[in-house]
Amino acid sequence: MSRPVRTTLVVSTLALALAACGKAPDLAQHGNVPNLPEPERGLLPSMVIADPGSWGDQVPTVPQGYKVSAIATDLAIPRQMLVLPNGDILVAEGRGGNAPKLKPKDIIAAPIKAKGNTKVKSGNRLTLLRDGDGDGVYEIKTVFAENLNAPYGLAMIGNTLYVANQDEVVAFDYQPGQTRASGAPRVLTALPSAINHHWTKAMTASADGRFLYVGIGSNSNVGERGLDVEVDRARIWQIDAQTGAHKDYATGIRNPTALAIQPGTGTLWSVVNERDEIGPNLVPDYLTSVQEGGFYGWPWSYWGKTVDNRVMPHNQEKVAKALAPDYALGSHVAALGVSFSGPSMGAQFADGAFVGMHGSWNRNPPVGYKVVFVPFQNGRPAGAPIDFVTGFRTDKDTTRGRPVGVAVDPRGALLVADDLANTIWRVVPTAPVQPAAPAQPAAATPAAAAPAPTPPPAG
């Protein structure tokens, strides 16, 4: 028997064995005080990857009073989106990463995880979508920029479009109405890209346009590759949008996969994917405001000061400084998108944040695979998450789609990037939305008050 066939049989057998393991109990893991059980250690986590299937003539499920449609299909791994001032939509498409596999875990887990992902080749481009007459049909779909390196984060400041590739932030000159970039981008700053275990570089711009914030994920689960490869990883950078000078804004954040600025406060928020391999109910992924200078525990602790005993040597000084996140989303949901809402999405969904959940690969039963709405009150999360876009998994354990980025169009739509079906979904109210009284956010330090970043040393 050839080696590839033997490997396939071993992986398939392990997948079946792992899927047959007992189901994890449901715990209360939403909100600011999640249930944190004792860690569970084993050779491998439970892996349940549903077989990919097509949507056919079906669409995702949305709440009563809303409708959903596909406005773009046949994309090349859509990740994050940006609604431009004229209503055009830019979609970042691609897949990155170049981390060597660690034996035996990655060699076994990688092909199992790959079963639940698209087989489409990485686009490495930006696609522009345009609805010229405002009827909800995006009749123009064209490549805005190509030959990028796993683009992910997108931001617009004035007439400059910023793109966070997996290795650098680049900038394009932009004029309203453009359907294609007028030239090659210029490099604003290089980003940490050695290994790139977590390759996605989330990005948003400060409310005043002075800074870009870029999320840089860790190069491992809990430092098992050594901390020398974690230099400048597991953190959020603040980058001067004019000069490219950068500084650490927050650290100890394992994998900040999407960033957003809260309207009215200028506060930076992030969704974060937490660590694996200590059980189906550890550790909750989370949504949090990001404090400048804050340390969030990775790798020494989680959810504030809960010590991870796998990480040696312990670092009590670091643990003592660790901040607890604002809001738990549930363990292994793989939150990859966040966007604040507004009155255009209807009264029930006017004040809060939409979160795209890509879905678990290491939990039985699976979780995530949906878009939820986290309600806010007085500028903070308040209450249980509300399912908003579901149906990505069927009752027969088929996966039809996996949500990634979400974006609220101020004209009254939620956009959802689906990187398994390679589709952009658009959810809109079915009836005109009555204007709602603006929310009263909690007081916060505006981004403009942040000190200028310290330029990096020459060389």
Side-chain angles (χ1 to χ4, degrees):
M1 188 182 295
S2 66
R3 178 171 295 177
V5 173
R6 287 200 306 269
T7 301
T8 300
L9 287 173
V10 169
V11 169
S12 298
T13 302
L14 280 169
L16 290 171
L18 290 166
C21 293
K23 292 188 175 182
D26 290 329
L27 300 179
Q29 290 199 306
H30 302 122
N32 62 354
V33 187
N35 188 324
L36 301 177
E38 289 298 314
E40 299 177 19
R41 297 294 304 277
L43 176 63
L44 286 172
S46 296
M47 298 184 192
V48 179
I49 304 294
D51 292 331
S54 68
W55 284 97
D57 59 357
Q58 301 295 305
V59 296
T61 301
V62 296
Q64 185 176 0
Y66 293 81
K67 62 181 179 180
V68 59
S69 61
I71 61 171
T73 58
D74 299 320
L75 295 168
I77 316 183
R79 300 289 189 171
Q80 300 292 336
M81 298 162 292
L82 178 68
V83 180
L84 299 178
N86 70 342
D88 290 350
I89 302 167
L90 284 179
V91 183
E93 300 167 80
R95 176 191 288 126
N98 57 3
K101 294 178 174 58
L102 293 178
K103 297 181 179 181
K105 179 193 71 175
D106 290 346
I107 292 175
I108 297 172
I112 297 175
K113 293 165 63 177
K115 287 179 58 182
N117 295 326
T118 183
K119 303 302 186 289
V120 171
K121 183 179 178 182
S122 173
N124 293 323
R125 68 189 184 193
L126 304 183
T127 288
L128 181 139
L129 307 176
R130 174 173 294 172
D131 173 11
D133 55 10
D135 64 353
V137 177
Y138 286 71
E139 63 275 0
I140 293 179
K141 172 187 167 187
T142 186
V143 174
F144 183 87
E146 53 195 337
N147 300 318
L148 300 172
N149 186 4
Y152 191 80
L154 302 169
M156 177 77 77
I157 299 176
N159 287 328
T160 303
L161 169 67
Y162 296 91
V163 181
N165 289 324
Q166 68 172 335
D167 61 344
E168 59 191 8
V169 175
V170 299
F172 290 91
D173 294 327
Y174 171 81
Q175 293 299 321
Q178 271 186 285
T179 57
R180 187 167 179 86
S182 56
R186 66 182 185 278
V187 176
L188 178 68
T189 190
L191 297 174
S193 58
I195 298 181
N196 258 356
H197 172 66
H198 290 127
W199 64 269
T200 56
K201 302 301 196 297
M203 182 167 65
T204 195
S206 64
D208 63 359
R210 291 177 61 194
F211 303 117
L212 295 165
Y213 297 98
V214 174
I216 304 165
S218 68
N219 263 329
S220 62
N221 184 34
V222 282
E224 64 271 18
R225 299 180 189 273
L227 293 184
D228 56 325
V229 302
E230 303 296 350
V231 174
D232 285 332
R233 308 294 301 215
R235 64 196 60 219
I236 295 172
W237 275 4
Q238 183 189 70
I239 302 173
D240 187 299
Q242 294 297 315
T243 68
H246 70 268
K247 72 169 189 176
D248 288 343
Y249 190 79
T251 58
I253 299 179
R254 179 178 176 267
N255 190 16
T257 52
L259 305 173
I261 297 295
Q262 184 178 22
T265 70
T267 302
L268 177 66
W269 287 73
S270 178
V271 288
V272 179
N273 283 196
E274 254 292 357
R275 65 202 73 195
D276 299 319
E277 301 175 29
I278 49 176
N281 287 318
L282 285 177
V283 171
D285 297 337
Y286 59 84
L287 167 70
T288 193
S289 59
V290 182
Q291 295 186 27
E292 182 174 6
F295 173 71
Y296 289 83
W298 191 89
W300 294 281
S301 66
Y302 55 85
W303 205 263
K305 299 173 175 57
T306 306
V307 173
D308 191 329
N309 288 313
R310 295 173 296 175
V311 184
M312 301 297 290
H314 297 314
N315 191 326
Q316 290 301 324
E317 182 179 357
K318 281 285 192 180
V319 171
K321 298 177 181 178
L323 300 174
D326 288 306
Y327 190 90
L329 295 165
S331 296
H332 311 302
V333 298
L336 297 186
V338 64
S339 183
F340 282 97
S341 188
S344 66
M345 288 305 296
Q348 182 182 5
F349 302 103
D351 187 9
F354 291 102
V355 175
M357 296 179 172
H358 201 230
S360 61
W361 60 269
N362 54 350
R363 191 182 190 280
N364 184 14
V367 289
Y369 296 95
K370 60 185 176 180
V371 177
V372 302
F373 178 78
V374 178
F376 274 50
Q377 189 173 34
N378 298 321
R380 313 296 298 180
I386 302 169
D387 286 355
F388 192 76
V389 190
T390 60
F392 293 90
R393 280 177 56 91
T394 72
D395 293 338
K396 297 181 180 179
D397 288 336
T398 297
T399 304
R400 298 185 289 203
R402 302 188 75 178
V404 188
V406 293
V408 173
D409 185 334
R411 297 175 300 179
L414 175 70
L415 307 169
V416 181
D418 177 344
D419 74 351
L420 181 59
N422 290 296
T423 294
I424 304 299
W425 302 100
R426 182 173 184 262
V427 184
V428 298
T430 54
V433 173
Q434 297 297 319
Q440 298 299 317
T445 303
T454 303

